[in-house]
Amino acid sequence: MFNKIIKRANKKSGKLILPEDPTNNAQQFYEVVVKHASRSSTFNSEPPNLPPIAPSPPHQTVIESLPPLKEVPVSERSSLFIRKIQLCCLICDFSDTLKFIVEKEIKRQTLYELVDIIQNSSFQFTDFQEDLIAMVSINIFRCLPPASHENSGSETVDLEEDDTYMDPSWSHLQLVYEILLRYIISPETDIKISKRYVDHVFVLKLLDLFDSEDQREREYLKTILHRIYGKFMVHRPFIRKAINNIFYRFIFETQRHNGICELLEIMASIINGFALPMKEEHKLFLIRALIPLHKPKCVSAYHQNLSYCVVQFVEKDGRLADPVIKGLLKYWPVTNCQKEVLFLGELEEVLESTQPPEFVRCMVSLFRQIGRCLNSPHFQVAERALYLWNNEHIISLVAQNRNVILPIVFDALENNMKSHWNRAVHGLTANVRKMFLEMDPELFEECQQKYLEKEARAAELEEKRELTWKQLEAVAAQAVVTDEMVLVN
C-alpha cells in the first residue's frame, strides 16, 4: 500500500525538484565553484569600465521551462539569463533513460539556447562570465566512470581497441562543451577578464578529463584546450608543463591513459609554432618526454602523432637528429615486430631531415640495428628495413659513408640471399646488393672476400667442434666398457 502511494505521488510531480535545504549537494557545489573562480585578489575589485551586473535572483531549484530570451522585455533579460544558467547547473540522472524525460529535454533546450546566444552575440553574456563558467564547471568536472580494464579486472588496457564507451549524458555534455568553446573563441570575450575564471585550476581539470573513454568528449577537449593555448598567452608555459607531467606519469607509472593521442595532436600544433633558435626547455621536452613515449607497449595507438612531433623537431633543428636516432635505438623493441615496423617508418622520416654531420655521429649503431632487422624472420620487418634504400636522401648519405656502412650490413645481405624464407625479401635484398656493387665494386669485392674468409673460419671451427664431441663420445664409451668389465670381474 505504501509503495502505491509513493508511485502516485511521483506521477503527480512532473518536475525534478531539489530540496530547499542549504546543504543541498548541487547547491553546495555551485557555491564552491563560484568561490574558486573568485579566489584571485583581482576578483575583489570590479574591473573598470564594465556595465553594472544585475543582482542574481534566488538559485534555480526546479527544472521548468523558461521563455526564450527574445520574448521578454529588455529590462528582464539579465534576470532570465541568470535563471537559465542556474537551471543548467542542475544535474540530471542519466542512469535510467526513462526517468525525468521532460526535465532532461527542458535542460537540453535551455543549453541549446545558451549556445545560440553566445554564438550570435545576441545578448551581453560577458557580464555574466563567472556564472557561465561556474555552470560549465558543474556539468563537465565530474568523476569519470571506472575504466573498462577496471571493470573487466584485467591488469592492462589496450589503447588500440576501438572506443566503444558512449557517455549517456552526452546530449547535455556536448552542448556544455559547445558553450565553453563558443565562449573561448567569441570576439566578445575579453581575455583580461576571462582569465580570472579560466585559470590554472580550470585548465588542470580540463586536462584531467582527457582520460575520458568517450572519444567525442576528448575531441571537444582537444579543440577547447588548443583554443585556450592560442588565446591565453599567459597560460602557455603552464599548459606545456601540465601536459609534460601527464606524459611522465603515463610513461613511468601507469602506462594507461585514453587521451595521449589527442594531447600529442595539441603538442604537434604547439611545436609547429616554436621559434628558432629553439629554447632549451623545448629540447628537454623532446628528450625527456617524446622519446620515452616510444617505450609503452601501446605506442601503436598514438605513434602517428608521436612521430609527427619528433620529425618536426628534427626539421626545425637538424642537430637534434643525433639524439633522436640514439633515443629510438635505446627504446628499440626486441620481440614486438609490429613496433619494429613503426620504428623503421619513423626512422626513415627522421633520416630524410638528417644532414651528413649528424648522420656520421650515429651511423655505426644505426646500421648495426638495421642489419639485425634485415635478418628478421618476420618478413614485414625485413621488407621495411630494405625499403630504406628506396629513399634517395638516405641512399646519398649511405653512398658518402659506404666504407663504414657496407661492411656492417654486408653479412646480413649475404645471409638473406642464402637462407631467408621469404621471396619478396630475397628479391629486395638482391636489389640492395646490386646497388652496393654498382656503387663501389672494389669495396664490395673486399667485403665479399672477408665474408668468405669468415665463413671458412666458421666452417673450420664447426668441424673442430664436431671432432671434439666425437672424441669425447669415444672416451665416454671406452669408460663405460671398462666399468662393465670391472663389475663382471
Side-chain angles (χ1 to χ4, degrees):
M1 185 66 180
F2 179 74
N3 292 335
K4 290 182 180 179
I5 294 172
I6 294 298
K7 287 181 181 178
R8 288 175 186 171
N10 288 337
K11 287 180 180 178
K12 288 180 182 179
S13 175
K15 301 174 182 176
L16 179 63
I17 302 176
L18 296 178
E20 295 291 345
D21 182 43
T23 60
N24 177 272
N25 289 337
Q27 185 96 355
Q28 269 190 327
F29 187 56
Y30 181 83
E31 293 291 342
V32 168
V33 174
V34 172
K35 288 176 182 176
H36 147 66
S38 306
R39 252 185 336 191
S40 174
S41 59
T42 56
F43 302 145
N44 298 328
S45 58
E46 187 70 20
N49 303 323
L50 286 180
I53 299 177
S56 301
H59 288 304
Q60 185 88 17
T61 56
V62 179
I63 293 185
E64 59 182 356
S65 183
L66 297 173
L69 207 63
K70 59 185 177 183
E71 293 182 5
V72 300
V74 176
S75 59
E76 298 178 12
R77 288 182 181 177
S78 295
S79 175
L80 180 60
F81 187 73
I82 285 290
R83 289 180 64 195
K84 288 180 179 292
I85 289 177
Q86 291 172 353
L87 182 149
C88 295
C89 288
L90 303 179
I91 306 299
C92 296
D93 180 12
F94 282 86
S95 60
D96 187 349
T97 55
L98 301 177
K99 227 173 149 184
F100 305 120
I101 297 175
V102 175
E103 288 77 6
K104 290 173 185 175
E105 181 59 24
I106 290 172
K107 180 179 175 181
R108 193 188 70 83
Q109 291 293 343
T110 306
L111 287 168
Y112 186 81
E113 185 182 357
L114 292 179
V115 173
D116 187 61
I117 289 170
I118 297 173
Q119 183 173 356
N120 299 320
S121 301
S122 57
F123 178 74
Q124 194 64 28
F125 70 89
T126 52
D127 296 343
F128 308 94
Q129 293 183 67
E130 185 170 4
D131 297 281
L132 196 66
I133 295 301
M135 181 274 291
V136 170
S137 300
I138 289 171
N139 280 274
I140 66 174
F141 297 148
R142 65 206 190 280
C143 291
L144 296 173
S148 55
H149 69 271
E150 294 176 4
N151 291 330
S152 63
S154 61
E155 294 183 0
T156 58
V157 57
D158 187 3
L159 296 183
E160 300 177 48
E161 293 181 358
D162 294 335
D163 291 321
T164 55
Y165 175 75
M166 310 285 276
D167 196 311
S169 61
W170 184 245
S171 59
H172 287 182
L173 281 175
Q174 181 181 13
L175 293 170
V176 175
Y177 277 120
E178 194 66 33
I179 288 171
L180 178 57
L181 177 59
R182 298 298 171 186
Y183 167 79
I184 296 296
I185 66 177
S186 173
E188 304 294 325
T189 302
D190 187 349
I191 298 175
K192 292 181 180 178
I193 300 171
S194 57
K195 71 181 180 182
R196 304 173 182 178
Y197 315 116
V198 183
D199 59 2
H200 286 178
V201 177
F202 187 89
V203 169
L204 277 178
K205 290 183 176 180
L206 276 182
L207 285 166
D208 286 341
L209 292 172
F210 272 87
D211 202 17
S212 170
E213 288 194 278
D214 195 324
Q215 187 176 4
R216 301 168 299 179
E217 182 170 15
R218 299 199 304 271
E219 286 295 320
Y220 260 104
L221 287 164
K222 177 184 69 177
T223 305
I224 290 168
L225 188 65
H226 187 266
R227 293 288 188 170
I228 290 173
Y229 187 91
K231 193 164 187 175
F232 296 82
M233 293 188 68
V234 68
H235 290 337
R236 289 184 179 183
F238 179 81
I239 290 174
R240 292 198 301 269
K241 185 176 180 181
I243 292 176
N244 281 5
N245 291 336
I246 292 175
F247 288 158
Y248 294 151
R249 188 163 186 267
F250 171 71
I251 297 164
F252 302 110
E253 294 182 23
T254 64
Q255 295 202 3
R256 294 172 179 169
H257 198 285
N258 294 301
I260 298 299
C261 191
E262 287 78 13
L263 290 172
L264 283 169
E265 282 190 58
I266 295 171
M267 287 309 304
S269 179
I270 293 173
I271 294 165
N272 191 41
F274 284 166
L276 295 175
M278 204 174 294
K279 294 180 181 178
E280 193 65 26
E281 166 202 346
H282 304 327
K283 296 177 183 178
L284 288 175
F285 167 69
L286 169 67
I287 303 301
R288 295 179 179 178
L290 291 185
I291 297 300
L293 272 172
H294 292 81
K295 180 182 177 181
K297 293 179 181 178
C298 55
V299 64
S300 57
Y302 55 82
H303 182 265
Q304 184 177 358
N305 294 334
L306 175 60
S307 175
Y308 181 69
C309 290
V310 171
V311 171
Q312 277 198 101
F313 270 102
V314 179
E315 288 175 350
K316 282 183 171 290
D317 188 349
R319 292 172 298 178
L320 294 173
D322 178 43
V324 164
I325 292 173
K326 288 178 178 176
L328 286 173
L329 296 176
K330 177 182 178 181
Y331 294 106
W332 199 274
V334 177
T335 59
N336 190 328
C337 296
Q338 295 304 321
K339 279 182 70 174
E340 279 196 275
V341 173
L342 294 176
F343 274 48
L344 286 165
E346 182 178 354
L347 189 61
E348 181 175 356
E349 293 183 39
V350 171
L351 287 172
E352 282 182 349
S353 303
T354 302
Q355 299 306 312
E358 284 70 38
F359 181 77
V360 169
R361 293 191 188 99
C362 60
M363 63 182 178
V364 174
S365 55
L366 171 62
F367 277 89
R368 282 176 181 164
Q369 181 59 58
I370 291 174
R372 286 190 285 270
C373 292
L374 291 175
N375 288 149
S376 173
H378 196 289
F379 75 97
Q380 290 179 334
V381 176
E383 269 187 341
R384 193 65 188 84
L386 288 162
Y387 283 148
L388 293 175
W389 275 269
N390 290 343
N391 190 297
E392 292 183 5
H393 181 69
I394 295 176
I395 290 174
S396 68
L397 292 173
V398 170
Q400 294 171 34
N401 301 277
R402 58 185 180 275
N403 292 332
V404 176
I405 294 172
L406 182 56
I408 295 173
V409 299
F410 190 86
D411 289 6
L413 294 173
E414 291 299 306
N415 291 336
N416 272 4
M417 292 299 295
K418 285 173 56 179
S419 58
H420 203 284
W421 64 272
N422 186 272
R423 289 185 179 180
V425 171
H426 195 276
L428 290 169
T429 302
N431 292 337
V432 173
R433 190 172 177 275
K434 182 180 178 183
M435 191 182 301
F436 275 117
L437 177 60
E438 294 173 352
M439 194 181 294
D440 193 333
E442 292 181 4
L443 177 63
F444 187 91
E445 186 177 349
E446 181 183 340
C447 291
Q448 191 171 37
Q449 185 63 33
K450 289 181 179 178
Y451 175 78
L452 293 174
E453 290 175 0
K454 190 187 297 182
E455 287 290 298
R457 287 197 299 271
E460 186 179 345
L461 287 173
E462 180 65 21
E463 289 179 5
K464 288 182 178 179
R465 188 182 68 83
E466 290 182 1
L467 180 61
T468 302
W469 276 110
K470 287 178 180 178
Q471 291 173 349
L472 288 172
E473 287 175 1
V475 171
Q478 183 63 37
V480 170
V481 171
T482 303
D483 289 344
E484 288 178 354
M485 292 177 62
V486 169
L487 289 173
V488 169
N489 295 334

Coordinates of all heavy atoms in Angstrom, one line a residue, residues 115-156:
V115 N 23.9 28.3 -26.2 CA 24.9 28.2 -27.3 C 24.6 29.2 -28.4 O 25.4 29.9 -28.8 CB 24.8 26.8 -27.9 CG1 25.7 26.7 -29.2 CG2 25.3 25.7 -26.9
D116 N 23.3 29.3 -28.7 CA 22.9 30.3 -29.8 C 23.1 31.7 -29.3 O 23.6 32.5 -30.1 CB 21.4 30.1 -30.1 CG 20.9 30.9 -31.3 OD1 21.5 30.7 -32.4 OD2 20.0 31.8 -31.1
I117 N 22.9 32.0 -28.1 CA 23.1 33.4 -27.6 C 24.5 33.8 -27.7 O 24.9 34.9 -28.1 CB 22.6 33.5 -26.1 CG1 21.0 33.4 -26.1 CG2 23.0 34.8 -25.5 CD1 20.5 33.3 -24.7
I118 N 25.4 32.9 -27.2 CA 26.8 33.2 -27.2 C 27.4 33.2 -28.7 O 28.2 34.1 -29.0 CB 27.6 32.1 -26.4 CG1 27.2 32.2 -24.9 CG2 29.1 32.3 -26.5 CD1 27.7 31.1 -24.0
Q119 N 26.9 32.3 -29.5 CA 27.4 32.3 -30.9 C 27.0 33.5 -31.7 O 27.9 34.0 -32.4 CB 26.9 31.0 -31.6 CG 27.4 30.8 -33.0 CD 27.0 29.5 -33.6 OE1 26.4 28.7 -32.9 NE2 27.4 29.3 -34.8
N120 N 25.8 34.0 -31.5 CA 25.3 35.1 -32.3 C 25.5 36.5 -31.6 O 25.1 37.5 -32.1 CB 23.8 34.9 -32.6 CG 23.6 33.6 -33.4 OD1 24.4 33.3 -34.3 ND2 22.6 32.9 -33.2
S121 N 26.0 36.4 -30.3 CA 26.2 37.7 -29.6 C 24.9 38.5 -29.5 O 25.0 39.7 -29.6 CB 27.3 38.5 -30.2 OG 28.5 37.8 -30.2
S122 N 23.8 37.8 -29.3 CA 22.5 38.5 -29.3 C 22.2 39.0 -27.9 O 21.2 39.7 -27.7 CB 21.4 37.5 -29.7 OG 21.4 36.3 -28.8
F123 N 23.1 38.8 -26.9 CA 23.0 39.3 -25.6 C 24.3 39.5 -25.0 O 25.3 38.8 -25.3 CB 22.2 38.2 -24.8 CG 21.9 38.6 -23.3 CD1 21.0 39.6 -23.0 CD2 22.7 38.0 -22.3 CE1 20.8 39.9 -21.7 CE2 22.5 38.3 -21.0 CZ 21.6 39.3 -20.7
Q124 N 24.5 40.5 -24.1 CA 25.7 40.8 -23.5 C 26.1 39.8 -22.4 O 26.1 40.0 -21.2 CB 25.7 42.2 -22.9 CG 27.0 42.8 -22.5 CD 28.0 43.0 -23.7 OE1 27.4 43.2 -24.8 NE2 29.3 42.9 -23.6
F125 N 26.4 38.6 -22.9 CA 26.7 37.5 -21.9 C 28.0 37.7 -21.1 O 28.2 37.1 -20.1 CB 26.8 36.1 -22.7 CG 28.0 36.0 -23.6 CD1 29.2 35.5 -23.1 CD2 28.0 36.4 -24.9 CE1 30.3 35.4 -23.9 CE2 29.1 36.3 -25.7 CZ 30.3 35.8 -25.2
T126 N 28.9 38.6 -21.6 CA 30.2 38.8 -20.9 C 30.0 39.4 -19.5 O 30.9 39.4 -18.7 CB 31.1 39.7 -21.8 OG1 30.4 40.9 -22.1 CG2 31.5 38.9 -23.0
D127 N 28.8 39.9 -19.3 CA 28.5 40.5 -17.9 C 28.3 39.4 -16.9 O 28.3 39.6 -15.7 CB 27.3 41.4 -18.0 CG 27.5 42.6 -18.8 OD1 28.6 42.9 -19.1 OD2 26.5 43.3 -19.2
F128 N 28.2 38.1 -17.4 CA 27.8 37.0 -16.5 C 28.8 35.9 -16.7 O 28.5 34.7 -16.6 CB 26.4 36.5 -16.8 CG 25.4 37.6 -16.8 CD1 25.0 38.2 -18.0 CD2 24.8 38.0 -15.6 CE1 24.1 39.2 -18.0 CE2 23.9 39.1 -15.6 CZ 23.5 39.7 -16.8
Q129 N 30.1 36.2 -16.9 CA 31.1 35.2 -17.2 C 31.3 34.3 -16.0 O 31.5 33.1 -16.2 CB 32.4 35.9 -17.6 CG 32.4 36.6 -18.9 CD 33.7 37.2 -19.3 OE1 34.6 36.5 -19.6 NE2 33.8 38.5 -19.3
E130 N 31.3 34.8 -14.8 CA 31.6 34.0 -13.7 C 30.5 32.9 -13.5 O 30.8 31.7 -13.3 CB 31.7 34.8 -12.4 CG 32.1 34.1 -11.2 CD 32.4 35.0 -10.0 OE1 32.2 36.2 -10.1 OE2 32.8 34.4 -8.9
D131 N 29.2 33.3 -13.7 CA 28.1 32.4 -13.6 C 28.2 31.3 -14.7 O 27.9 30.2 -14.5 CB 26.8 33.1 -13.6 CG 26.6 34.0 -12.4 OD1 26.3 33.6 -11.3 OD2 26.9 35.3 -12.6
L132 N 28.6 31.8 -15.9 CA 28.6 30.9 -17.0 C 29.7 29.8 -16.9 O 29.4 28.6 -17.1 CB 28.9 31.7 -18.3 CG 28.6 31.1 -19.6 CD1 27.1 30.8 -19.8 CD2 29.1 31.9 -20.8
I133 N 30.9 30.2 -16.4 CA 32.0 29.3 -16.2 C 31.7 28.4 -15.1 O 32.0 27.2 -15.1 CB 33.3 30.0 -16.0 CG1 33.7 30.8 -17.3 CG2 34.4 29.0 -15.6 CD1 33.9 29.9 -18.5
A134 N 31.0 28.9 -14.0 CA 30.6 28.1 -12.9 C 29.6 27.0 -13.4 O 29.7 25.8 -13.0 CB 29.9 28.9 -11.8
M135 N 28.7 27.3 -14.3 CA 27.7 26.3 -14.8 C 28.5 25.3 -15.6 O 28.2 24.0 -15.5 CB 26.7 27.0 -15.7 CG 25.6 26.1 -16.3 SD 26.1 25.3 -17.8 CE 26.1 26.8 -18.9
V136 N 29.4 25.7 -16.4 CA 30.2 24.8 -17.2 C 31.0 23.8 -16.3 O 31.0 22.6 -16.5 CB 31.2 25.5 -18.2 CG1 32.2 24.6 -18.8 CG2 30.4 26.3 -19.2
S137 N 31.6 24.4 -15.3 CA 32.4 23.6 -14.3 C 31.5 22.5 -13.7 O 32.0 21.3 -13.5 CB 33.0 24.5 -13.3 OG 33.9 25.4 -13.9
I138 N 30.3 22.9 -13.2 CA 29.5 21.9 -12.6 C 29.1 20.7 -13.5 O 29.1 19.6 -13.0 CB 28.2 22.6 -12.1 CG1 28.5 23.6 -10.9 CG2 27.1 21.6 -11.7 CD1 27.3 24.5 -10.5
N139 N 28.9 21.0 -14.7 CA 28.5 20.0 -15.7 C 29.6 19.1 -16.1 O 29.5 17.8 -16.2 CB 27.8 20.6 -16.9 CG 26.4 21.0 -16.6 OD1 25.5 20.2 -16.7 ND2 26.2 22.2 -16.2
I140 N 30.8 19.6 -16.4 CA 31.8 18.8 -17.0 C 32.8 18.3 -16.0 O 33.4 17.2 -16.3 CB 32.6 19.6 -18.2 CG1 33.4 20.7 -17.6 CG2 31.6 20.0 -19.2 CD1 34.2 21.4 -18.7
F141 N 33.1 19.0 -14.9 CA 34.1 18.5 -14.0 C 33.4 17.5 -13.0 O 32.7 17.9 -12.1 CB 34.7 19.7 -13.2 CG 35.5 20.6 -14.1 CD1 35.5 22.0 -13.8 CD2 36.1 20.2 -15.2 CE1 36.2 22.8 -14.6 CE2 36.9 21.0 -16.0 CZ 36.9 22.4 -15.7
R142 N 33.6 16.2 -13.3 CA 32.9 15.2 -12.6 C 33.8 14.0 -12.5 O 34.9 14.0 -13.1 CB 31.6 14.8 -13.4 CG 32.0 14.1 -14.7 CD 30.9 14.3 -15.8 NE 31.2 13.5 -16.9 CZ 32.0 13.8 -17.9 NH1 32.7 15.0 -17.8 NH2 32.2 13.0 -18.9
C143 N 33.5 13.0 -11.7 CA 34.2 11.8 -11.6 C 34.0 11.0 -12.8 O 32.8 10.6 -13.1 CB 33.9 11.0 -10.3 SG 34.4 11.8 -8.8
L144 N 35.0 10.6 -13.5 CA 34.8 9.7 -14.7 C 34.5 8.3 -14.3 O 34.9 7.9 -13.2 CB 36.1 9.7 -15.6 CG 36.5 11.1 -16.2 CD1 37.8 10.9 -16.8 CD2 35.5 11.5 -17.2
P145 N 33.6 7.6 -15.0 CA 33.3 6.2 -14.7 C 34.5 5.4 -14.7 O 35.5 5.7 -15.3 CB 32.3 5.8 -15.7 CG 32.5 6.7 -16.9 CD 33.0 8.0 -16.3
P146 N 34.5 4.2 -14.0 CA 35.6 3.3 -14.0 C 36.0 2.9 -15.4 O 35.2 2.7 -16.2 CB 35.2 2.1 -13.2 CG 34.0 2.6 -12.3 CD 33.4 3.7 -13.1
A147 N 37.3 2.8 -15.6 CA 37.8 2.4 -17.0 C 37.4 1.0 -17.3 O 37.2 0.2 -16.3 CB 39.3 2.6 -17.0
S148 N 37.4 0.7 -18.5 CA 36.9 -0.7 -18.9 C 37.8 -1.8 -18.4 O 37.3 -2.8 -18.0 CB 36.9 -0.8 -20.5 OG 38.2 -0.4 -21.0
H149 N 39.1 -1.5 -18.3 CA 40.0 -2.5 -17.7 C 39.8 -2.8 -16.3 O 40.0 -3.8 -15.7 CB 41.5 -2.2 -18.0 CG 42.0 -1.0 -17.2 ND1 41.9 0.3 -17.7 CD2 42.6 -0.9 -16.0 CE1 42.4 1.1 -16.8 NE2 42.8 0.4 -15.8
E150 N 39.3 -1.7 -15.6 CA 38.9 -1.9 -14.1 C 37.7 -2.7 -14.0 O 37.6 -3.5 -13.1 CB 38.8 -0.5 -13.5 CG 40.1 0.3 -13.4 CD 39.8 1.7 -12.9 OE1 38.7 2.0 -12.5 OE2 40.8 2.5 -12.9
N151 N 36.7 -2.5 -14.9 CA 35.5 -3.3 -14.8 C 35.8 -4.8 -15.1 O 35.2 -5.7 -14.5 CB 34.4 -2.8 -15.7 CG 33.9 -1.4 -15.3 OD1 33.9 -1.2 -14.1 ND2 33.5 -0.6 -16.2
S152 N 36.7 -5.0 -16.1 CA 37.0 -6.4 -16.5 C 37.9 -7.1 -15.6 O 38.1 -8.3 -15.6 CB 37.5 -6.4 -17.9 OG 38.7 -5.7 -18.0
G153 N 38.6 -6.4 -14.8 CA 39.6 -7.0 -13.9 C 40.9 -7.2 -14.5 O 41.8 -7.8 -13.9
S154 N 41.1 -6.9 -15.8 CA 42.4 -7.1 -16.4 C 43.5 -6.1 -15.9 O 43.1 -5.0 -15.5 CB 42.3 -7.0 -17.9 OG 41.9 -5.7 -18.3
E155 N 44.7 -6.5 -16.0 CA 45.8 -5.7 -15.5 C 46.2 -4.6 -16.5 O 46.8 -3.6 -16.1 CB 47.0 -6.5 -15.1 CG 46.7 -7.5 -13.9 CD 48.0 -8.2 -13.5 OE1 49.0 -8.0 -14.2 OE2 47.9 -9.0 -12.6
T156 N 46.0 -4.9 -17.7 CA 46.5 -3.9 -18.8 C 45.3 -3.5 -19.6 O 44.2 -4.1 -19.7 CB 47.5 -4.5 -19.7 OG1 47.0 -5.7 -20.3 CG2 48.8 -4.9 -18.9

